[in-house]
Each structure stands twice: as C-alpha cells, then as structure tokens.
Amino acid sequence: MSIESELTYLKSAKNKVLEFIEETPAENVISLASWKAQLAKLNKKINELEKLASQ
C-alpha cells in the first residue's frame, strides 16, 4: 500500500472515530476513553506517514 493510500485510509478511520466520540454519551467514560486512545494512535501514525511523504 502506498503512503498516500494508507494516509487516506487512516484519515477515514480517524473521521469515523471522531463520529463515535461525538455520538457516545458523556456518562459512558470507558468507551470515550477507548475511542480517544484509538484517536491518539491514529493521529500518531498519520503524523509519521505525513513526515515520510514530505521527505
């Protein structure tokens, strides 16, 4: 998979996670924490790939 296609895939996944975060009730703390952890992992991987793509 090329860097560009992987970035597209990861950014799509990030948008889906953001949707889940918005839809999850605030009282569901464990789910929110899980989604936010997933979002952090996606952001880290996206940043790494964007650095590679810019070189």
Side-chain angles (χ1 to χ4, degrees):
M1 184 181 291
S2 72
I3 291 176
E4 291 81 16
S5 59
E6 191 169 354
L7 273 170
T8 300
Y9 174 79
L10 291 172
K11 287 179 180 182
S12 175
K14 177 182 174 178
N15 288 335
K16 197 65 176 169
V17 169
L18 288 170
E19 285 179 34
F20 285 131
I21 289 172
E22 285 180 21
E23 294 172 1
T24 301
E27 58 272 5
N28 200 339
V29 177
I30 294 172
S31 290
L32 281 173
S34 176
W35 287 123
K36 288 179 181 179
Q38 186 64 32
L39 182 61
K41 289 178 187 176
L42 286 167
N43 281 331
K44 182 178 178 184
K45 186 65 176 174
I46 288 168
N47 289 338
E48 289 171 1
L49 288 174
E50 285 177 337
K51 279 185 184 178
L52 283 174
S54 68
Q55 292 181 355

